[in-house]
Amino acid sequence: MSVLVIALLFVAGFVSGAINAVAGGGTFISFGALTLIGVPSIVANATSSIAQLPGYVTSTLAYRKDYARMWRGVLVLALVSAVGSLGGALFLLYLNNDQFSAVVPWLLLGATALFAAGPWLKPKPRHQDDAARGRNLSSPIVQFFTSIYGGFFGAGMGIMMLATLGLTEGGDYHRLNAIKNLLANVIAITAIIVFVSGGVVDWPGALAMVPGVALGGYAGVWAAKRVPQVAVRLFVIAIGLVLAGYYFWIG
């Protein structure tokens, strides 16, 4: 691996970690960078999941004070996320690279469309109180299916979670983002265990991205509290559309 490729992956890791911390969708960048240097799609997806983990961890630590007010609901969501992610990751290993590559642009397009519709998917006022007490039954069910997607395809997982959490959880953007970051850790760790066991990881690529992702994850939370939500949403939607178009073109 050349110095130029290492630098490219580091920068891609930083940008993806920051975007994931702000709104989700940053894995589009890391997955795209890996495929750009010739890594097969399934290996790129698995490697991207490993590279993103430090960013998920650092962005979760930045929200640690928020979890004290919602730990019961988050615990239930974490458990169902682990089960769903396990199923999704195992299904990915069942496919070959050609089969997986054929569905990548559709997955990107669907996740971007769902995120774009987020402002119109208003949760009911009672959801925030129910979620705080861990009694919102719809939230674990929806999160289970979302985590299947997350275990299967890391790119766009954060976008989809923000949208689905907006349907079942109450509160402002930062509350939803805090929950999303924590659940992303659970989904990623579960999927990583499966991917490592299956031998589908490009370790040099992952190691080149990890430092950038860790730095970007913490910087992204700082930016999320200062950048207007509309600007963040438009930026992520643009990334999703561009990358979906790109994968349709090369596919």
Side-chain angles (χ1 to χ4, degrees):
M1 185 175 290
S2 68
V3 174
L4 181 60
V5 170
I6 293 173
L8 170 66
L9 294 180
F10 176 86
V11 172
F14 181 88
V15 174
S16 64
I19 293 174
N20 268 336
V22 174
T27 316
F28 290 163
I29 305 297
S30 56
F31 177 79
L34 287 164
T35 56
L36 181 64
I37 64 172
V39 177
S41 57
I42 288 180
V43 178
N45 184 53
T47 303
S48 181
S49 296
I50 290 179
Q52 292 301 324
L53 184 59
Y56 293 144
V57 172
T58 54
S59 58
T60 298
L61 291 176
Y63 278 114
R64 60 189 178 277
K65 293 182 180 179
D66 296 88
Y67 299 127
R69 299 188 296 270
M70 61 179 82
W71 68 270
R72 291 183 181 177
V74 171
L75 179 61
V76 173
L77 293 176
L79 292 174
V80 299
S81 294
V83 176
S85 178
L86 176 63
L90 289 173
F91 181 62
L92 175 67
L93 295 188
Y94 175 77
L95 302 178
N96 60 44
N97 280 300
D98 290 338
Q99 291 172 323
F100 181 63
S101 295
V103 301
V104 164
W106 295 103
L107 291 169
L108 291 170
L109 194 60
T112 304
L114 186 58
F115 182 74
W120 290 273
L121 303 175
K122 298 293 185 181
K124 296 179 180 180
R126 63 179 175 81
H127 282 164
Q128 182 167 1
D129 294 334
D130 290 344
R133 293 191 294 268
R135 296 205 299 262
N136 185 0
L137 295 180
S138 64
S139 189
I141 294 173
V142 173
Q143 180 59 29
F144 172 73
F145 289 103
T146 303
S147 63
I148 292 176
Y149 170 87
F152 177 74
F153 186 55
M157 175 177 67
I159 290 177
M160 182 168 286
M161 272 201 289
L162 276 178
T164 55
L165 287 171
L167 286 170
T168 59
E169 295 286 329
D172 61 12
Y173 165 82
H174 294 299
R175 179 179 187 275
L176 297 179
N177 199 40
I179 296 174
K180 181 265 294 181
N181 286 346
L182 180 62
L183 298 181
N185 275 280
V186 176
I187 293 171
I189 290 171
T190 303
I192 285 169
I193 293 172
V194 175
F195 296 150
V196 172
S197 300
V200 291
V201 178
D202 183 332
W203 288 107
L207 292 174
M209 281 188 167
V210 163
V213 171
L215 293 173
Y218 197 84
V221 171
W222 181 90
K225 295 181 178 180
R226 293 163 176 83
V227 178
Q229 293 182 28
V230 173
V232 173
R233 184 172 293 275
L234 290 175
F235 180 64
V236 172
I237 290 171
I239 290 175
L241 291 176
V242 168
L243 287 173
Y246 170 74
Y247 288 116
F248 273 119
W249 179 63
I250 66 173

